[in-house]
Amino acid sequence: MNLTLAVFTTRLAASGRAPQGGDGQAQAAGTVLNLPGGQLLLGLVGAALLGLAASQLYTAYGAKFMKRMQFSGVDGRVRDLLVKTGQVGIASRGVLMLIIGAFALVAAWNRRASETVGISQALTWLGSQPAGNVLLGVVAVGTLCYGVWCAVQARYRRIRIEDAA
């Protein structure tokens, strides 16, 4: 999944546009906005996404994820590289959540479901910014790093098993 997203982002950076397709998030946002208190609900979703983004960025910056890892038998340089890979990957995911959450808040504020975005539209928006292709390249590398980090976790994550007795 992360490799697919990284390839998609790289292609987007090269071509400058994303394939247009499903508008599922706008339909879902429209359904929410039509509910009683829907504007508030959509705003809460946006705020929750911003909170998740902040948590991801904080976790990446402080390498908080390392408390669950056990790199026994791994050289110090390799360990440092793995930590940096995790930091870049988690931060990249946080940036995408930040963009999607901000758009959800704006959509709630304006009561326009069409202003919500998914990952594809967030990447398209990012690409339309000054130095957009560079930003997309950074996100592509970050997404690839996140995929590598997931594989690293599968190998080195410490899992506690509590005795049921």
Side-chain angles (χ1 to χ4, degrees), residues 6-18 122-142:
V7 169
F8 172 79
T9 306
T10 303
R11 286 185 180 166
L12 179 59
S15 70
R17 60 182 168 72
L123 293 171
T124 300
W125 176 84
L126 194 61
S128 71
Q129 302 308 303
N133 286 348
V134 172
L135 295 172
L136 286 173
V138 169
V139 170
V141 168

Side-chain angles (χ1 to χ4, degrees), residues 69-83:
M69 303 302 289
Q70 186 172 352
F71 290 118
S72 55
V74 176
D75 178 58
R77 287 186 196 172
V78 173
R79 181 187 184 281
D80 292 344
L81 179 63
L82 293 176
V83 170

Side-chain angles (χ1 to χ4, degrees), residues 1 26 29 33 41 47 50 58 125 129 156:
M1 176 63 185
L33 282 173
L41 288 173
L50 290 179
Y58 176 75
W125 176 84
Q129 302 308 303
Y156 294 105

Side-chain angles (χ1 to χ4, degrees), residues 22-36:
D23 210 14
Q25 66 280 348
Q27 289 176 346
T31 301
V32 169
L33 282 173
N34 288 328
L35 295 172

Side-chain angles (χ1 to χ4, degrees), residues 9-164:
T9 306
T10 303
R11 286 185 180 166
L12 179 59
S15 70
R17 60 182 168 72
Q20 300 302 314
D23 210 14
Q25 66 280 348
Q27 289 176 346
T31 301
V32 169
L33 282 173
N34 288 328
L35 295 172
Q39 188 175 11
L40 176 63
L41 288 173
L42 186 57
L44 290 173
V45 167
L49 286 171
L50 290 179
L52 176 62
S55 173
Q56 294 285 295
L57 293 170
Y58 176 75
T59 297
Y61 177 75
K64 302 292 184 191
F65 50 86
M66 288 303 295
K67 65 184 173 189
R68 295 182 302 268
M69 303 302 289
Q70 186 172 352
F71 290 118
S72 55
V74 176
D75 178 58
R77 287 186 196 172
V78 173
R79 181 187 184 281
D80 292 344
L81 179 63
L82 293 176
V83 170
K84 292 294 180 201
T85 300
Q87 287 178 300
V88 170
I90 292 169
S92 178
R93 192 168 86 161
V95 167
L96 285 175
M97 290 297 149
L98 182 74
I99 294 168
I100 294 168
F103 272 96
L105 277 178
V106 169
W109 182 264
N110 295 331
R111 285 193 60 81
R112 287 195 197 121
S114 62
E115 293 180 7
T116 58
V117 299
I119 291 174
S120 175
Q121 294 91 349
L123 293 171
T124 300
W125 176 84
L126 194 61
S128 71
Q129 302 308 303
N133 286 348
V134 172
L135 295 172
L136 286 173
V138 169
V139 170
V141 168
T143 303
L144 186 58
C145 284
Y146 187 74
V148 170
W149 178 248
C150 288
V152 168
Q153 283 189 84
R155 169 62 179 92
Y156 294 105
R157 187 167 182 154
R158 187 177 52 229
I159 299 174
R160 293 164 136 178
I161 300 175
E162 301 289 329
D163 189 17

